[in-house]
Amino acid sequence: MNVVQNSKLKTFYNKVYKKGESKHFTSFVTKGTPTNELNEVLKELNWKNKAVLDVGCGTGLFAHKVSKLGSKQVLGIDFSNEAIEIAKKTRKNRNLQYQVLDVKEIKSKYDVIVSLGTLEHMDNPLQILKILKKHLNRNGKIIVTSPNWTNPRGYVLMTLWHLFN
């Protein structure tokens, strides 16, 4: 993520997490209930003994779930200090760490890199994917999800966004 261009987004998410997720996100997210999307991603691989990077981990729901499935190492990164503080306090495991980190600062290599609903928030998604690819171990996997706004809920949300910003 480009820290300069994404500074507004970082400020926005820090406010969201400081105010409390329940005032912004739907209840299934804030109660830690896995979404269908998260459950489907969990089914994609055998997570045992994998080094996993969760890009844009928020408060750590996915990273925590994967850490409990036998991954040898899980790192959740986000550019929101507030989200990372919540993750560190609420979702812990011996093989799980969280860091406030820009994608361009990643040092290690991973067996699996996951970006759930975050790529669409990045200023240059193609550049980010190229960076992530450099941090994959041989035969590693990148799993990316992105919302589909072409549905009734998406049309309503996008209309509200454009009307009220």
Side-chain angles (χ1 to χ4, degrees), residues 5 25 52 87 95 108-109 141 148 155 159:
Q5 292 177 335
F25 297 113
V52 179
N95 57 343
S108 301
K109 290 204 172 216
K141 308 278 187 231
N148 178 353
Y155 291 132
T159 302

Side-chain angles (χ1 to χ4, degrees), residues 50-157:
K50 300 277 191 298
V52 179
L53 175 65
D54 183 3
V55 177
C57 69
T59 58
L61 177 60
F62 182 81
H64 186 245
K65 294 283 181 193
V66 169
S67 75
K68 291 170 37 177
L69 292 175
S71 297
K72 66 180 173 188
Q73 166 199 0
V74 180
L75 175 62
I77 65 171
D78 203 289
F79 62 23
S80 170
N81 305 355
E82 297 293 333
I84 293 298
E85 287 306 312
I86 293 168
K88 286 179 177 180
K89 290 177 187 171
T90 60
R91 297 194 170 105
K92 302 174 184 180
N93 206 352
R94 61 177 172 65
N95 57 343
L96 175 60
Q97 293 183 328
Y98 300 102
Q99 290 181 10
V100 176
L101 192 68
D102 188 288
V103 170
K104 294 175 183 171
E105 299 169 341
I106 298 169
K107 303 276 189 248
S108 301
K109 290 204 172 216
Y110 298 88
D111 300 309
V112 184
I113 298 175
V114 178
S115 173
L116 303 181
T118 56
L119 194 63
E120 68 276 7
H121 296 284
M122 298 179 192
D123 293 317
N124 189 337
L126 180 58
Q127 177 192 30
I128 298 303
L129 288 171
K130 288 178 180 179
I131 290 169
L132 295 179
K133 184 179 177 186
K134 289 179 186 177
H135 293 283
L136 276 180
N137 287 328
R138 187 179 176 144
N139 298 320
K141 308 278 187 231
I142 296 178
I143 300 174
V144 176
T145 67
S146 184
N148 178 353
W149 292 101
T150 56
N151 60 60
R153 180 175 181 257
Y155 291 132
V156 170
L157 289 174

Side-chain angles (χ1 to χ4, degrees), residues 23-39:
K23 295 183 191 308
H24 179 75
F25 297 113
T26 53
S27 62
F28 66 82
V29 172
T30 59
K31 290 180 181 167
T33 304
T35 62
N36 286 340
E37 172 188 58
L38 188 146
N39 283 328

